[in-house]
Amino acid sequence: MAMAHILVLPMPAQGHVIPLMELSHRLVDLGFEITFVNTEAHHALVVAALQAAGGTSAMAGIHLASISDGVEHDEDRKDISKLVDSCTRNMPGNLEQLIAGMEVAGRPKVKWLIPDACAWWSFEVAKRLGIRVVPLWPASAACLAISLQIPKLTEKGLLDNKG
């Protein structure tokens, strides 16, 4: 029996999925039950890659799930501002529905959410549902440090909305 059910949620962008998937595998090794949530577009890519590799053995112990990011045209996923805007507007409700649906289906209650720190909107969903949150920053520490300074740089007039 798994120790606890953890939902892992990467931001649907290049370089964000693999670090959270690696963490998920390590957590499975420790006895946790993992549900890894991708957007529908990324989910289709993962499933296709697994089938091309000859099955789903690479995902042993990890349940794959998907929710819509709300992006209407695949081309818009290449525009980070359109992707982030759509994710922020559409994914909170879809995540909440997924979690409720898992419980109705008899899956163990989600105890922890490990979201990509860029999926900040998921923190409020978890709070509403009584789920503990441990965000993960998949990029380098230097990138995080710079990102945290942007408000100060904007305030001092060194950056504007055009960079």
Side-chain angles (χ1 to χ4, degrees):
M1 184 166 153
M3 291 172 50
H5 186 187
I6 300 172
L7 193 138
V8 179
L9 178 70
M11 188 65 182
Q14 183 177 359
H16 292 251
V17 176
I18 291 175
L20 277 99
M21 182 59 76
E22 286 296 327
L23 174 63
S24 296
H25 282 289
R26 300 302 72 81
L27 291 170
V28 166
D29 291 346
L30 294 171
F32 291 95
E33 180 172 345
I34 303 296
T35 297
F36 195 89
V37 182
N38 271 310
T39 62
E40 291 169 342
H42 277 105
H43 182 74
L45 294 172
V46 170
V47 170
L50 287 170
Q51 290 172 342
T56 59
S57 61
M59 300 306 295
I62 297 175
H63 303 275
L64 298 176
S66 65
I67 57 176
S68 173
D69 57 15
V71 175
E72 293 182 25
H73 306 287
D74 284 338
E75 195 64 28
D76 288 343
R77 283 190 183 84
K78 296 177 185 174
D79 182 330
I80 192 68
S81 63
K82 288 181 181 178
L83 177 64
V84 169
D85 178 59
S86 186
C87 288
T88 302
R89 283 185 290 108
N90 295 289
M91 290 180 75
N94 295 335
L95 179 62
E96 214 163 322
Q97 288 176 356
L98 173 70
I99 293 169
M102 287 189 304
E103 288 185 23
V104 167
R107 296 279 313 280
K109 181 171 175 39
V110 174
K111 299 286 187 185
W112 292 89
L113 170 66
I114 302 177
D116 189 307
C118 293
W120 54 267
W121 49 265
S122 67
F123 302 2
E124 284 300 314
V125 172
K127 184 177 180 179
R128 272 194 306 277
L129 299 176
I131 299 170
R132 293 179 178 180
V133 179
V134 180
L136 181 88
W137 180 263
S140 70
C143 185
L144 176 60
I146 290 169
S147 296
L148 293 173
Q149 294 304 312
I150 290 173
K152 290 179 185 175
L153 295 172
T154 304
E155 186 179 295
K156 290 180 181 183
L158 298 170
L159 286 178
D160 60 20
N161 62 354
K162 295 179 185 170

